[in-house]
Amino acid sequence: MFKFFLKKNFADIWDNLFHLLIVNLTYVAMGVGAFFTLFGIIRTGLEDMQKYLLMLLVVMVFSPIVHIFVFAEGKNCESISKYEHPKLGAYFRNIKSCIKDGILYGLFVGALFCVAIVAIPYYFQMWLPSEGHDGNFIGLLLMLLVIWAELISLLSLQWFLPVRNLMHNNFKKCLKKSYIIFFDNAGFSIGLLLVNVVNLAISVFSLGMIPGLSGMQLSATDALRLRLYKYDWYEVNPGMTKEQRKDVPWADLLANDRKLLGKRTVKNLFFPWKD
């Protein structure tokens, strides 16, 4: 199943490269704005603590703004995942309807980021003080607790946007389902994270253009759409034992998607008109 996901996702990104590039331009513009804002704060004559607090404030302001636009691309990610064509106009039309969830999600992600960069160094200092004083073992335990909470949230929240894209739930339900999906699909969630780490590395090399945030959202949407077949199978086969539920017939469940995707070769990707 994971192999087919990789194939489909690569094809989806490749087939919609121009659309993703245009959408990513808006994210890059906001990223540049955030970078110069942070750089300006660093260059000011303020005290270090004041700079630190201002930089955290910038994160808390820019995170909701960026996520409003990221959420607006959700409908197109759903369309691409379902073998339909994205529409740039839909991206801009959806911005207004994404303001509430984008702000809530952005604040939540921003808060997690701020907790990580504040709490982890603080508890590390409590565990191993730089002044040479005796450390506190409680500091290590609290630091590990924060790290695990942040890691679980990272793995869970990558499902938030695709849950919203495909299930159209409200913010609270999307958040709840994101964590449920992670705990029920921990291995697959780690696999998706690795895919998006590769996407992120390519995005850094391409200055955020390809695959960028839109491509990463598409990857997560593709992953969840295929994974949901498992739950459809559960519904039509109630009463299965725990062992039976593990034996998911992916070959049968993905048969229609394989047919829709068709045969994709290197020649087909670069010279589709020759097929």
Side-chain angles (χ1 to χ4, degrees), residues 14 16 24 29-30 32 34 40 43 57 76 89 95 97 109 127 147 158 166 206 224 231 245 262:
W14 181 267
N16 299 277
N24 283 330
M30 286 181 278
V32 170
R43 294 293 299 273
L57 179 61
N76 281 324
I95 291 174
S97 64
V109 171
W127 175 42
I147 290 174
Q158 64 184 340
L166 298 172
S206 66
L224 181 61
Y231 298 101
R245 289 166 69 91

Side-chain angles (χ1 to χ4, degrees), residues 16-36 62-78 80 86-88 90-95 98 102 105 161 164-165 199-200 203-204 206-219 221:
N16 299 277
L17 210 58
F18 184 72
H19 171 83
L20 298 179
L21 191 151
I22 296 298
V23 174
N24 283 330
L25 280 173
T26 60
Y27 307 148
V28 171
M30 286 181 278
V32 170
F35 172 79
F36 280 107
F62 270 91
S63 180
I65 294 173
V66 171
H67 281 99
I68 289 171
F69 287 85
V70 172
F71 277 36
E73 178 63 359
K75 182 63 178 177
N76 281 324
C77 287
E78 178 188 7
I80 295 171
K87 297 178 181 178
L88 196 59
Y91 167 62
F92 293 104
R93 287 195 301 271
N94 289 335
I95 291 174
C98 296
Y105 185 81
L161 270 69
R164 187 179 187 275
N165 296 345
N199 285 337
L200 180 61
S203 299
V204 171
S206 66
L207 301 180
M209 295 299 183
I210 296 296
L213 288 177
S214 56
M216 295 169 72
Q217 182 181 182
L218 176 57
S219 295
T221 304

Side-chain angles (χ1 to χ4, degrees), residues 40-52 54-55:
I41 292 173
I42 294 173
R43 294 293 299 273
T44 61
L46 298 173
E47 297 289 334
D48 288 344
M49 182 54 68
Q50 291 176 320
K51 291 181 182 179
Y52 189 63
L54 273 177
M55 291 172 74

Side-chain angles (χ1 to χ4, degrees), residues 80-145:
I80 295 171
S81 183
K82 293 180 177 178
Y83 308 95
E84 300 169 359
H85 295 294
K87 297 178 181 178
L88 196 59
Y91 167 62
F92 293 104
R93 287 195 301 271
N94 289 335
I95 291 174
K96 184 178 179 180
S97 64
C98 296
I99 292 176
K100 179 182 177 181
D101 283 356
I103 290 175
L104 290 173
Y105 185 81
L107 290 174
F108 188 71
V109 171
L112 287 173
F113 176 79
C114 291
V115 167
I117 64 174
V118 172
I120 293 175
Y122 177 79
Y123 289 132
F124 183 82
Q125 281 289 104
M126 182 187 294
W127 175 42
L128 295 174
S130 56
E131 296 83 3
H133 299 112
D134 292 336
N136 190 334
F137 186 70
I138 298 297
L140 173 61
L141 295 179
L142 292 174
M143 182 182 70
L144 291 176
L145 179 63

